[in-house]
């Protein structure tokens, strides 16, 4: 799930930093209160059967996680969310191994690991070849980032070079891929 912090320090599950695409009314999440965001219908755009759907809080999402299953919490904002996330995890009935943080922002991963060192956290990164066919970020940069942030591993697009994935795992880190939507890709 993708999570953002509201103006009144509530954590909500929403991908976009503003609500225009889903609700037809543009509110910026960080500048809006939970009450303001709850006024919106974020389901009608998808189908009539979802009419009236409200943006859920992280507590509501946590309550849906079955025993023995995990949730990957993607933080879409900065480290200001961490104290509130730690509090929500503590209030939930989830076990340490059930809540995994993922984030593109290194400072968020680092702050989370400092606050909850037993919970897993993965640094998110995409990879691209530059004009000289060199992969960015470099394997050295990835390994240095994982060490600096105390991340448990890397979470990247499926197109990571195979040698990178093998080296990351050989160094003792985990590697997870996103956008694996079919059997052939898997």
């Amino acid at each position: 799930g993708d999570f953002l912090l509201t103006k009144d320090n509530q954590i909500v599950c929403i991908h976009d930093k503003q609500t225009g695409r889903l609700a037809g009314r543009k509110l910026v999440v960080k500048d809006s209160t939970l009450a303001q965001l709850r006024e919106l219908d974020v389901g009608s755009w998808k189908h009539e059967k979802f009419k009236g759907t409200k943006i859920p809080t992280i507590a509501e999402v946590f309550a849906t996680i079955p025993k023995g299953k995990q949730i990957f919490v993607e933080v879409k904002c900065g480290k200001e969310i961490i104290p509130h996330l730690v509090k929500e995890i503590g209030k939930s009935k989830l076990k340490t191994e059930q809540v995994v943080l993922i984030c593109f922002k290194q400072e968020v991963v680092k702050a989370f690991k400092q606050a909850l060192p037993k919970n897993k956290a993965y640094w998110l990164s995409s990879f691209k070849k530059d004009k000289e066919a060199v992969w960015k970020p470099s394997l050295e940069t990835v390994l240095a980032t994982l060490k600096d942030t105390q991340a448990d591993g890397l979470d990247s697009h499926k197109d990571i070079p195979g040698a990178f994935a093998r080296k990351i795992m050989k160094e003792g880190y985990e590697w997870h891929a996103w956008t694996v939507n079919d059997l052939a890709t898997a």
Side-chain angles (χ1 to χ4, degrees):
D2 298 321
F3 296 90
L4 290 163
L5 191 64
T6 66
K7 182 179 179 179
D8 54 346
N9 295 320
Q10 300 297 309
I11 302 174
V12 291
C13 184
I14 185 170
H15 177 274
D16 298 354
K17 293 183 183 207
Q18 55 88 13
T19 61
R21 185 172 62 89
L22 299 178
R25 181 172 154 216
K26 185 178 175 181
L27 293 179
V28 176
V29 174
K30 70 178 179 122
D31 297 330
S32 304
T33 65
L34 178 60
Q36 290 169 319
L37 293 167
R38 292 282 212 174
E39 293 173 3
L40 304 175
D41 173 350
V42 294
S44 293
W45 70 273
K46 180 92 171 158
H47 190 277
E48 178 66 25
K49 69 181 178 181
F50 299 115
K51 184 178 182 177
T53 299
K54 304 296 179 194
I55 298 171
T57 64
I58 198 165
E60 292 167 333
V61 174
F62 281 169
T64 71
I65 307 304
K67 185 177 181 179
K69 300 297 181 182
Q70 291 180 306
I71 180 168
F72 281 61
V73 173
E74 182 174 349
V75 170
K76 305 286 278 184
C77 56
K79 66 182 183 176
E80 67 277 1
I81 197 172
I82 298 301
H84 308 287
L85 179 57
V86 168
K87 180 177 150 191
E88 291 296 334
I89 292 170
K91 289 187 333 188
S92 78
K93 295 181 179 177
L94 299 175
K95 296 184 182 208
T96 300
E97 64 273 10
Q98 289 184 272
V99 182
V100 179
L101 177 124
I102 59 175
C103 189
F104 283 98
K105 296 179 180 176
Q106 297 170 30
E107 65 273 11
V108 172
V109 175
K110 191 172 191 172
F112 182 78
K113 287 301 287 184
Q114 287 172 345
L116 293 174
K118 292 182 180 178
N119 284 73
K120 289 194 175 183
Y122 303 102
W123 177 50
L124 284 169
S125 183
S126 56
F127 289 81
K128 294 185 178 164
K129 281 186 185 179
D130 65 15
K131 293 177 185 175
E132 290 79 38
V134 175
W135 286 98
K136 300 286 182 179
S138 69
L139 178 58
E140 294 75 22
T141 297
V142 171
L143 290 172
T145 301
L146 295 176
K147 183 177 180 182
D148 177 62
T149 60
Q150 301 173 352
D152 297 284
L154 177 72
D155 195 335
S156 71
H157 193 269
K158 63 180 173 41
D159 294 330
I160 183 176
F164 279 33
R166 285 188 291 281
K167 179 67 173 173
I168 288 164
M169 291 185 288
K170 186 176 179 184
E171 292 294 320
Y173 296 103
E174 294 179 32
W175 172 62
H176 297 265
W178 75 77
T179 318
V180 179
N181 296 332
D182 56 73
L183 189 56
T185 302

